[in-house]
Amino acid sequence: MIRKFISRVFNGKKARPGHHEPAVIPVSTHGITRDRISSGSRRVCETLQENGHKAYVVGGAVRDLLIGAEPKDFDVATDATPEEVRRAFRRSRIIGRRFQIVHVMMGQEQIEVTTFRGQLGEDTKKDEHGRVLHDNVFGSQMEDAARRDFTANALYYDPTTEAVVDYHHGVGDLKQKTLRMIGEPRARYREDPVRMLRAVRLAAKLGLSIDPEAKRPIREMAVLLENVPAARLFDEMLKLLTSGHSVKCLTQLRDEGLHHGLLPMLDVILEQPMGEKFVMLALANTDERIRRGKGTSPGFLFACLLWHEVLAHWEKLKSAGEPKIPALFQAMDTVLDVQAEKLAITRRIAGDIKEIWLLQPRFEQRAGKRPYGLLEQPRFRAGYDFLLLRAESGEVDKELAEWWTRFQNADGEERAQMLLPEQAGDKKRRRRRKKPANAGSVPAAE
Ligand code: ATP
Ligand code: MG
């Protein structure tokens, strides 16, 4: 039915981006009634419209509703300036310096309100590879639509009329399960290489296929990702890993050659059978959690992704004669330093990652008081989940993971019986490592 309507509007021809009137698709055709969008975004649109502005729910939310998925959040686009938006809502504030957007609070909901963006001009600031650096001109709705990445992301929903405004045949493309770039894909990737990652992520998440024209240039343009600021890559990486479809995303990233620049060690890890098995298990596990509505922490995720790189460094240091725990500290720092150059792993997340890694050698200690101490660690659960994945991937003995599963659930007497005998030399070694050179809070080594 939608296709029939679209072909009526466009006379059977595919729309040329940027040079035409939009299709205005009524609710009787697309079926999205206004109660499907959040009350906050509805009220923001209504208020702006009452003030004489245009205002629409835009982007991912409209796309998700059209394919029957649950939107993550509801963004609003308007022709009101950030200052006008701010004045219209008591609980609102302007954020961002280069391109200002407004956060409006409606009850518990935070709505991101963006002023229509204008066309990129001759004088648009770009880096030497063509990446757009400044993007701060306002424009018309039509210009705004042409600035978005994929046709499915350039749909505007008006809660008042319940119509979808479609400049780029997005509704038709969604119907055909195609993710199509607006404009010339090469030019759009050059402007912003992250669009290559977005293509892969959105296709995997929404079950769409990337239009061949948008897919073809990716392999050769992948290297452009190297010029993208680390913080931006990290954000996109997180979105990808927490999409609930990370296994599919990563598989496709690898197929497209996009994993090289992304996580400096990822290509190496995926080439080692053990590393690949561990990463894939960890991601499948995360996908499952996310789909069941349970959270995951970025720290846990990155701890998984980087673990085999740590193991490799750790092994090397140990065989060079470095004692076990100081070697682990050194390996962790080396791996995180390399990543930090490419991915802006925040200090807090880096701290979480290290905590999970540092708990690992402690699981090997099953004598005396130490297992009880480990149970009391605030990050025990994350460390234990991590151990389970290591066991499942074959890196450590399954018996070890099973022991810890039993030990947790056992009562006092059973626990006491489970303890292994202290090995001769344990105490001596513990004393010797009390003050290693490079750390204050070293876990006792076995
Ligand atoms: P998600 O479901 O992950 O939120 P999304 O498409 O909503 O997907 P956002 O990052 O929230 O992604 O972006 C909102 C909208 O802004 C997109 O739908 C798209 O129209 C536009 N957009 C985002 N990133 C880009 C980009 N790199 N280039 C062009 N347009 C973009
Ligand atoms: Mg979104």
Side-chain angles (χ1 to χ4, degrees):
M1 199 155 78
I2 293 178
R3 209 174 312 165
K4 217 156 91 200
F5 177 84
I6 299 271
S7 58
R8 201 167 70 229
V9 170
F10 293 118
N11 243 342
K13 279 189 223 129
K14 212 168 83 189
R16 270 188 309 131
H19 301 287
H20 56 84
E21 288 301 305
V24 179
I25 302 165
V27 62
S28 58
T29 305
H30 61 65
I32 300 167
T33 47
R34 65 176 70 86
D35 57 299
R36 302 284 301 285
I37 69 165
S38 72
S39 60
S41 59
R42 209 158 70 205
R43 270 163 55 208
V44 168
C45 288
E46 282 162 5
T47 304
L48 288 169
Q49 290 176 359
E50 279 159 18
N51 290 357
H53 295 292
K54 284 185 174 186
Y56 300 88
V57 172
V58 71
V62 187
R63 174 199 71 209
D64 291 354
L65 286 172
L66 281 167
I67 59 168
E70 195 61 45
K72 225 172 46 196
D73 39 38
F74 292 83
D75 300 331
V76 168
T78 178
D79 62 0
T81 63
E83 194 47 46
E84 286 170 328
V85 175
R86 202 195 51 75
R87 278 201 302 265
F89 302 96
R90 205 169 45 82
R91 293 170 63 212
S92 67
R93 64 197 172 100
I94 296 180
I95 59 158
R97 243 175 300 161
R98 285 219 296 265
F99 190 91
Q100 298 185 324
I101 61 177
V102 187
H103 278 169
V104 179
M105 292 302 298
M106 284 284 177
Q108 289 296 305
E109 216 187 323
Q110 178 176 287
I111 316 289
E112 209 170 281
V113 184
T114 313
T115 304
F116 293 146
R117 287 187 194 203
Q119 231 167 352
L120 296 177
E122 296 281 288
D123 51 353
T124 304
K125 268 227 174 95
K126 296 180 178 174
D127 75 1
E128 76 265 32
H129 304 280
R131 192 170 65 83
V132 172
L133 297 174
H134 294 277
D135 177 17
N136 47 5
V137 221
F138 300 139
S140 67
Q141 186 182 1
M142 187 167 95
E143 287 174 319
D144 184 81
R147 291 291 323 279
R148 292 178 184 271
D149 45 6
F150 303 101
T151 62
N153 281 346
L155 299 168
Y156 300 79
Y157 179 79
D158 181 342
T160 309
T161 63
E162 298 182 310
V164 169
V165 182
D166 180 2
Y167 285 86
H168 296 281
H169 198 258
V171 175
D173 285 342
L174 266 182
K175 258 244 140 21
Q176 291 172 7
K177 298 265 172 207
T178 302
L179 195 65
R180 193 188 311 279
M181 183 71 84
I182 296 172
E184 209 277 297
R186 284 170 186 280
R188 304 302 311 278
Y189 291 145
R190 221 169 291 124
E191 283 170 12
D192 180 8
V194 170
R195 288 174 185 149
M196 294 186 268
L197 300 177
R198 287 179 53 85
V200 170
R201 172 170 65 86
L202 292 173
K205 174 174 140 180
L206 305 165
L208 306 178
S209 55
I210 305 172
D211 171 54
E213 262 188 67
K215 191 168 171 164
R216 215 174 298 123
I218 291 183
R219 184 168 291 278
E220 103 197 41
M221 299 186 82
V223 357
L224 290 180
L225 281 170
E226 283 173 20
N227 311 309
V228 174
R232 181 104 200 279
L233 272 190
F234 184 67
D235 280 354
E236 187 55 34
M237 234 0 235
L238 258 191
K239 277 192 175 184
L240 208 138
L241 295 171
T242 57
S243 65
H245 301 269
S246 65
V247 170
K248 219 162 132 193
C249 281
L250 202 67
T251 311
Q252 203 164 346
L253 284 180
R254 189 151 44 143
D255 291 348
E256 302 296 339
L258 281 173
H259 61 297
H260 289 299
L262 203 54
L263 281 178
M265 77 312 149
L266 200 57
D267 32 358
V268 184
I269 291 172
L270 291 176
E271 271 150 34
Q272 319 160 345
M274 276 291 254
E276 170 174 16
K277 193 159 179 215
F278 181 74
V279 166
M280 287 303 180
L281 266 175
L283 292 181
N285 196 276
T286 306
D287 286 350
E288 174 74 21
R289 286 180 65 96
I290 288 171
R291 289 191 217 179
R292 274 192 278 133
K294 292 202 217 162
T296 56
S297 75
F300 189 84
L301 266 167
F302 282 97
C304 291
L305 289 174
L306 300 171
W307 175 240
H308 274 257
E309 193 66 359
V310 172
L311 278 182
H313 281 274
W314 192 15
E315 265 329 301
K316 217 182 295 165
L317 290 163
K318 276 191 293 187
S319 34
E322 193 75 23
K324 186 171 171 180
I325 297 303
L328 175 57
F329 271 95
Q330 214 178 310
M332 293 192 316
D333 286 341
T334 307
V335 170
L336 284 174
D337 282 350
V338 172
Q339 297 308 314
E341 283 174 22
K342 195 68 209 152
L343 288 175
I345 296 181
T346 59
R347 207 179 291 229
R348 199 178 58 90
I349 294 176
D352 291 347
I353 296 174
K354 286 186 181 182
E355 265 184 294
I356 292 170
W357 287 342
L358 280 171
L359 289 176
Q360 297 312 307
R362 299 182 59 177
F363 283 105
E364 289 160 27
Q365 305 172 341
R366 292 183 276 169
K369 292 202 173 96
R370 295 186 204 153
Y372 297 97
L374 189 48
L375 278 182
E376 298 307 316
Q377 286 289 318
R379 302 285 292 158
F380 172 81
R381 186 72 216 183
Y384 165 74
D385 285 343
F386 196 85
L387 177 73
L388 290 184
L389 288 169
R390 293 174 65 207
E392 211 180 326
S393 71
E395 183 219 321
V396 294
D397 208 328
K398 276 209 162 60
E399 188 268 334
L400 181 65
E402 282 159 11
W403 190 91
W404 278 99
T405 308
R406 274 187 291 127
F407 189 72
Q408 276 177 82
N409 300 319
D411 60 28
E413 202 171 321
E414 257 177 279
R415 278 186 183 165
Q417 279 168 3
M418 285 180 71
L419 295 176
L420 305 189
E422 290 264 9
Q423 305 231 320
D426 261 6
K427 289 206 174 104
K428 206 171 102 217
R429 245 182 289 163
R430 216 183 325 162
R431 250 197 318 273
R432 182 156 57 82
R433 295 220 184 115
K434 231 171 193 160
K435 271 195 183 145
N438 60 346
S441 59
V442 178
E446 197 156 54

